[in-house]
Amino acid sequence: MSFETTASLSPQDFVNQVIGHTQNHSALANPKAEGFGEAPVNIALSKYWGKREKTLNLPINGSVSISLPGLGTQTELTLTEGKEDQIVLNDKLLEPYHPFAQRLSRFLDYFRATKNTAFQVDTVNSVPTAAGLASSASGYAALVLALNDLFQWNLPLEKLSLLARLGSGSASRSLYPGFAVWHKGVQSDGMDSYAEAIDTQWPELCIGLLKVDVSEKPVGSSVGMQQTVDTCELYQAWPDKATKDMQTIQTAINDRDFSLLGKTAEHNALSMHATMIATWPPIVYWQPESVAAMHKIWQLRQQGVEVYFTMDAGPNLKLLFLETEKPAILQAFQEMDVIQPFKG
């Protein structure tokens, strides 16, 4: 079973169409002195894992997320003279050959007025980079917001979501506070694969961040998902499973049904990791502390404490629970950070 399709637009043509750049109109001709963007990380409640088209970052399945206020990326962007971009990450100037700098510069290639246009990028992450805590999602969302500000496009969030997706798929969801849904889309040009907000407030909902290891993970998400698609026979069942879970989680959010939300999100995450483990060579992001935390969560549920977890491509857990359970869960996980996304 093949999941891959062919894009009808090149990435550059896609960008030009989104920003309205044509032969007769330059969307890059009226920059300000500086652009700024800020975006939160988001945690996928139903996961995106696998691409139907690589060059435009089109997903095999849609996904639902929740953003975490106070955690994310702030980016300042200016145009400079010179042949090379200057990429500063957390106050450290990166060498041009640094993987983070190279990836950012390749993305910025789509937005250069001429080949001699260079960018100065100053970006600050409040979460560790490349550790499975969604720094790329907030990073590319903040960068796209900074580009929108710098060039004064005044694009709606839906179009900015399309651009952010090109940098990192999950970045499409980080443009929104609270809940968001990323539609997988069906068009070959990728114009219908964007995220939008889910208009539900849930003040009692808590997210606990349990950091097992925040060092850079050995297998990046893009490499890991492609290896899974290419070599895992179990993956054949993932698209249908992911689509059903996405629909169930949207229903749970609309109804504020926490039990349905929690068990669906946890099972969805475990199913995604099962496909990784069944690839060859296997991809196992879990560490012994990750598994120990899972067992502690399951024991808490047996004791009547309703708590669930989700995990992205990394060893760290994100716990889901309601405010009434907060004291019991903090007693069990004293080192955990707790965020209530809908409480100021």
Side-chain angles (χ1 to χ4, degrees):
M1 183 176 179
S2 175
F3 297 101
E4 292 190 8
T5 58
T6 301
S8 61
L9 290 177
S10 70
Q12 185 65 70
D13 288 339
F14 173 82
V15 168
N16 291 347
Q17 187 168 322
V18 172
I19 66 177
H21 185 82
T22 67
Q23 287 184 332
N24 299 321
H25 171 72
S26 174
L28 310 175
N30 190 34
K32 295 165 51 180
E34 179 180 278
F36 177 78
E38 181 175 13
V41 300
N42 74 79
I43 302 302
L45 300 171
S46 67
K47 305 298 186 184
Y48 146 58
W49 196 246
K51 302 176 184 181
R52 63 180 171 90
E53 205 287 318
K54 300 174 190 175
T55 62
L56 296 180
N57 249 358
L58 300 178
I60 286 174
N61 61 274
S63 54
V64 176
S65 67
I66 184 166
S67 290
L68 304 183
L71 291 176
T73 305
Q74 294 182 333
T75 296
E76 294 179 356
L77 194 63
T78 56
L79 296 174
T80 64
E81 295 182 359
K83 295 182 178 180
E84 291 185 340
D85 298 326
Q86 300 292 306
I87 310 294
V88 179
L89 173 62
N90 294 335
D91 297 322
K92 180 181 179 181
L93 178 63
L94 302 182
E95 297 290 345
Y97 54 79
H98 190 285
F100 180 91
Q102 288 184 330
R103 184 181 174 191
L104 226 59
S105 288
R106 284 195 298 269
F107 181 74
L108 289 170
D109 284 345
Y110 300 129
F111 307 98
R112 302 185 196 277
T114 70
K115 291 183 179 180
N116 294 323
T117 300
F119 290 91
Q120 167 85 28
V121 183
D122 290 278
T123 189
V124 177
N125 278 340
S126 61
V127 293
T129 303
L133 289 168
S135 62
S136 64
S138 62
Y140 279 93
L143 182 58
V144 164
L145 287 167
L147 285 163
N148 184 59
D149 186 33
L150 178 69
F151 290 113
Q152 304 183 77
W153 295 327
N154 297 314
L155 293 175
L157 286 176
E158 179 182 311
K159 286 196 171 185
L160 294 177
S161 178
L162 292 170
L163 295 177
R165 187 203 74 216
L166 200 61
S168 169
S170 53
S172 64
R173 304 183 306 241
S174 269
L175 291 161
Y176 303 95
F179 297 113
V181 54
W182 175 16
H183 305 288
K184 72 172 185 178
V186 296
Q187 295 174 195
S188 60
D189 63 4
M191 289 296 174
D192 61 346
S193 181
Y194 58 88
E196 61 181 342
I198 298 174
D199 188 21
T200 296
Q201 300 290 307
W202 202 337
E204 302 83 10
L205 183 64
C206 298
I207 309 293
L209 300 181
L210 194 61
K211 299 173 185 176
V212 171
D213 185 349
V214 296
S215 61
E216 186 171 347
K217 54 194 178 188
V219 180
S221 297
S222 294
V223 172
M225 70 174 64
Q226 192 58 47
Q227 183 176 320
T228 303
V229 173
D230 291 343
T231 70
C232 177
E233 292 183 7
L234 293 183
Y235 188 83
Q236 306 295 322
W238 170 255
D240 286 342
K241 161 74 174 167
T243 299
K244 290 176 183 176
D245 287 346
M246 174 183 165
Q247 294 167 348
T248 300
I249 285 175
Q250 285 182 274
T251 298
I253 290 170
N254 291 334
D255 296 343
R256 290 180 37 168
D257 184 337
F258 177 72
S259 298
L260 182 62
L261 173 72
K263 69 181 183 182
T264 308
E266 182 173 312
H267 194 253
N268 180 269
L270 289 171
S271 299
M272 179 184 73
H273 279 269
T275 67
M276 302 177 197
I277 295 169
T279 66
W280 194 260
I283 302 172
V284 183
Y285 288 110
W286 299 349
Q287 295 185 11
E289 296 87 350
S290 309
V291 178
M294 294 181 204
H295 281 283
K296 187 183 287 190
I297 290 166
W298 294 329
Q299 289 168 0
L300 284 169
R301 285 214 298 267
Q302 289 178 344
Q303 295 165 9
V305 178
E306 191 168 20
V307 55
Y308 303 89
F309 69 86
T310 184
M311 296 178 70
D312 294 310
N316 305 297
L317 282 75
K318 293 85 176 180
L319 277 59
L320 309 173
F321 53 95
L322 294 178
E323 191 172 14
T324 52
E325 304 285 20
K326 187 175 176 179
I329 295 166
L330 278 174
Q331 186 175 4
F333 297 101
Q334 296 179 14
E335 70 279 25
M336 184 178 65
D337 297 325
V338 178
I339 296 171
Q340 291 183 250
F342 299 97
K343 273 200 171 182

